[in-house]
Structures are given as structure tokens and as C-alpha cells.
Amino acid sequence: MVFAAVPILTVTIEERANRPELHVHAGGQGVWMSRMVASLGVPVTLCVSLGGETGEVLLGRLGGENIDIRSVKRDSGNGWYVHDRRSGERDEIAEDGGDPLTRHDMDELYGLALAEGLRSPVAVLSGSAAPGVVDPDIYRRLAADLGNNGVTVVVDLSGDDLTAVLRGKPAFVKVSHEELINAGRASGDGEDALIEAGRGVLGEGAGAVLISRPDAPSLALFDGRVVTVEPPALEVADHRGAGDSMTAGIASVLARGGAVEEALRTGAAAGALNVTRHGLGTGDAEAIAELIGRVRVEER
């Protein structure tokens, strides 16, 4: 189960044959994760709230994905963005993260996610597009209630959401080095500072931690080990979504009962492949399988 409280509608303008081309998709961290999990052949249920005109369009777009959708109707509209990629770069025209969920919205969504999560071996908790849209305590409650009932909880959160979910003792936390620095959890971007921050996250309740870095090997702390995880070098088409694909790869292996090191290798391979593509959370399972053997995991 992937929990994505408030997915967003993404509108991208590209150019093809000297003409503008419009692409409309469902997006947001949890949607991109679910897409990659499905690409890896693991059945996935996405729990979301949808409302307003954007919610209506999102429901239609999500229906075209190879994902089982469970939704509740929210009182107001979902967020969105419009990006222009005709120059080859991603230029933001406008965006809105959506209105905060009401107490009623939260209650309905929590019940839905709890039920679906309890049916799943792994539950992934993903963040929203803007701060303040979701009460961080929902992450703590879900992590605790699912974890206490035998579900492996994987989280990819930052800021107040990360602080809250750690009190629920999730099994696995993926976080970027920038998020650790911005939150004041790491004193710098050096390996020693990041490892110290990772140990702090473990001390707050996480079972294992992966710290992603875009231009250096990731750092993982689990089972008393500290390792570097280095994917094969590939040319970058779009770096966005690499971390989400990494989390999805990890969750897909854990859902099959695989070991943490295997999950790290698969996550690194999925993230590496995603940056070669413009579609976020997309990838070919066969290509990822080939890349897994080229991921280097070394003791630090």
C-alpha cells in the first residue's frame, strides 16, 4: 500500500515536430512511487483523497495506471502544477499544493489507508506537494498502527512529517542529504556528518536509514552496518523522481520478503534508470534487473 494523501495534477508543455504538445498526468511523490512499484511487477494499492475539478481529472488519469486506486472524496480541490519543457529545461509557469485536508477528510483517509495497509506486507508513506496540507501526526499514527500489526512501514518524508513519523517507529526511512541539512539534523554534507545524522534518525525510532545523495554514493545504516550504495553511472535526462523511484525499488523487494541489501541494490538501480527518462516514476523492469548487478555496496 502506498499512502499519498493529496496527489497533484501535472500539466507539462513540450515540443514535438516544432509544435507545442500538452501532457496531463497524475503526479506527486506517492503516485510516482506506485508507478515504479507496478513496473517492477509488484501489485500496489494507492490510497488518496480527491476533490474539486483537479480531483475529477486525477481520478480519470489514475484509472489509466496499472495501480489499484482507493480514494475518498475530499472537501476541496487537489493541487497542481504547469511546467514548460519546450526549452529542454523545466520552467515553472504556476503551481498550487492544494488546500489542507479537513478533520473529516483526515478521518476518512486514515481509515481507508489503515484497512488497505493491514492487507499489505509493506506500506509506503509519502509526503504531499506542499507543507501544511496534511497534519504530520497522521504519519505517526499510521506508522505505529501498521507496524504494531506486522506491516513493514517504509517512509520517504522530510521536515515535520519525518519528525512525526519517527515516533511511530517505521522499519525503513529514506531521506535525502539536503533534507537532513535543511532540517538541522546534519551539520554538513560530509559523510561523517551525514552518518551521524543517520544514527540520530535510528535513535529516534527508525529500523534502517538510507540517505540519498545526487552526486555521490548513498549512505545506508542497518543491522549495525554503515555502507555506501553506488549506482552505475548513466547520463541524466531529468533528475526529478530518482529518490521516489529508489524508495519504490526498496519497497518492492521488502514486499517480496527480500533482504535489506537486496532492497538497496534494487532501489539504487531503479533510481539510476529513472534519471535517464523524462517520465517520473517510470522504468523498465528488465533494464533495472540488468543494472542491479552493477550497483556497488561497500562497507564504510
Side-chain angles (χ1 to χ4, degrees), residues 34-153:
S34 298
R35 193 174 289 148
M36 178 59 77
V37 171
S39 295
L40 291 168
V42 176
V44 56
T45 298
L46 177 64
C47 292
V48 299
S49 66
L50 301 172
E53 292 183 3
T54 48
E56 291 178 6
V57 179
L58 276 166
L59 183 59
R61 301 308 299 168
L62 286 168
E65 306 270 3
N66 189 25
I67 299 168
D68 190 11
I69 307 300
R70 294 287 185 270
S71 65
V72 297
K73 186 174 181 178
R74 61 173 303 191
D75 292 338
S76 55
N78 289 66
W80 52 269
Y81 71 62
V82 180
H83 288 177
D84 189 341
R85 285 186 52 90
R86 285 176 292 178
S87 68
E89 301 295 326
R90 189 179 289 272
D91 298 320
E92 177 187 311
I93 297 175
E95 66 176 357
D96 182 77
D99 296 323
L101 291 174
T102 66
R103 182 188 60 79
H104 173 73
D105 295 335
M106 295 281 287
D107 286 346
E108 292 298 311
L109 184 58
Y110 184 85
L112 176 71
L114 181 63
E116 294 298 334
L118 290 172
R119 298 187 182 106
S120 307
V122 168
V124 180
L125 308 184
S126 68
S128 55
V133 175
V134 180
D135 182 349
D137 196 54
I138 196 172
Y139 296 113
R140 178 196 63 81
R141 293 169 57 207
L142 278 173
D145 287 347
L146 292 173
N148 288 337
N149 284 280
V151 180
T152 298
V153 178

Side-chain angles (χ1 to χ4, degrees), residues 161-194:
D161 296 337
L162 176 59
T163 299
V165 81
L166 288 174
R167 295 197 294 271
K169 301 189 183 306
F172 196 105
V173 170
K174 183 268 174 189
V175 62
S176 76
H177 82 290
E178 292 178 338
E179 290 163 347
L180 290 175
I181 294 170
N182 292 340
R185 292 178 174 273
S187 59
D189 60 2
E191 281 197 1
D192 289 342
L194 294 173

